[in-house]
Amino acid sequence: MINLCDISHFNLSGDGEQTSSIEHLILDNIRINLYHIYSIAPVLRTLDTIIDPYSVNHIKHNFPPEYLSKLSIKFFGHFNLSTMKQLLREMTRLVHLTIVAYDIYNDIIDGFAWERILANIITFKFLFSFHESTWTQEPIELESFRTLFWLENKHWYIKYDRCTVSGFSLLYSIPYFNNTYPWVHIKGPIITKSTGPDIFSLSNINHLN
């Protein structure tokens, strides 16, 4: 059973000593500092929110998220693998992870590095939209995501879509989990690559943006 809690009376700036027994929290359209959330809700078990990637490296772990088992996050702006490693390093009970990230660069495409970060994760879903500056670069390769870790141990498969006209590119876990697909950037044929069965479906998409 999930208990709903009104957090409007909490100071999300992080000032003060107030705490809450909140275990499940969704913050929609609000960018937060994780340190502040941990200090307010020290027994948090699930969190769905938007994170500023530039603030992650400055997180103070006075209140480590030791109970957090499910995390869904959105990044607007560049983040890299060091950011993810820093973000997850004290989430020792985390087993379900969902990431939606916009304006990323090709340095995030390293399946071997992701293996080290995701070793204890059971469910991993993601959608990465690449920065416009990468659209003129060569299409990415998926070989580092074809290892035993990805295909045999985890059974995680990914797909890469790239518009042949604009160069707009997406990398995502399959099946496609998000409820939107950015068709506005698709101005012609697309090329696709996949590491597994192509089970892309539009059944869960209710908005084309």
Side-chain angles (χ1 to χ4, degrees):
M1 178 178 179
I2 296 178
N3 295 320
L4 300 180
C5 177
D6 179 8
I7 66 168
S8 60
H9 62 286
F10 287 104
N11 180 359
L12 293 181
S13 68
D15 299 327
E17 300 295 332
Q18 52 195 341
T19 61
S20 168
S21 59
I22 294 173
E23 294 186 1
H24 309 278
L25 181 61
I26 298 175
L27 295 175
D28 195 14
N29 296 320
I30 301 175
R31 296 194 187 196
I32 56 97
N33 181 304
L34 283 181
Y35 164 67
H36 297 161
I37 293 299
Y38 298 158
S39 63
I40 293 171
V43 295
L44 200 62
R45 297 182 184 276
T46 67
L47 176 63
D48 186 334
T49 190
I50 300 173
I51 296 176
D52 181 355
Y54 296 102
S55 69
V56 171
N57 291 330
H58 302 289
I59 292 175
K60 302 174 183 178
H61 289 281
N62 299 36
F63 303 90
E66 57 181 320
Y67 298 101
L68 196 67
S69 63
K70 183 176 182 180
L71 177 65
S72 298
I73 49 177
K74 288 184 180 179
F75 288 101
F76 290 89
H78 179 229
F79 84 100
N80 53 37
L81 289 167
S82 296
T83 301
M84 288 306 305
K85 184 177 180 180
Q86 173 74 9
L87 178 65
L88 302 180
R89 67 186 177 93
E90 293 197 22
M91 298 181 183
T92 56
R93 297 191 185 185
L94 188 71
V95 291
H96 304 292
L97 176 63
T98 300
I99 306 172
V100 177
Y102 302 92
D103 292 333
I104 70 164
Y105 295 87
N106 288 350
D107 58 353
I108 205 74
I109 310 306
D110 185 344
F112 303 117
W114 277 106
E115 286 185 24
R116 295 188 289 272
I117 295 173
L118 301 172
N120 297 322
I121 301 298
I122 296 175
T123 303
F124 180 46
K125 301 176 183 179
F126 69 90
L127 171 61
F128 295 156
S129 174
F130 289 84
H131 190 274
E132 187 174 358
S133 65
T134 69
W135 296 1
T136 57
Q137 299 176 11
E138 290 296 316
I140 65 172
E141 298 296 333
L142 303 182
E143 291 309 309
S144 64
F145 296 93
R146 300 183 189 274
T147 64
L148 289 177
F149 173 88
W150 287 90
L151 303 183
E152 300 294 333
N153 298 344
K154 297 294 188 178
H155 300 285
W156 291 342
Y157 309 108
I158 67 173
K159 188 174 181 181
Y160 175 65
D161 292 347
R162 181 184 176 99
C163 177
T164 59
V165 176
S166 67
F168 175 79
S169 303
L170 288 176
L171 185 73
Y172 52 88
S173 55
I174 51 177
Y176 190 86
F177 72 93
N178 209 29
N179 62 359
T180 64
Y181 191 90
W183 289 110
V184 67
H185 297 291
I186 307 298
K187 304 182 184 302
I190 63 174
I191 58 173
T192 64
K193 300 178 182 179
S194 174
T195 62
D198 190 356
I199 47 181
F200 177 78
S201 171
L202 298 179
S203 61
N204 62 319
I205 295 177
N206 55 34
H207 182 65
L208 302 178
N209 60 5

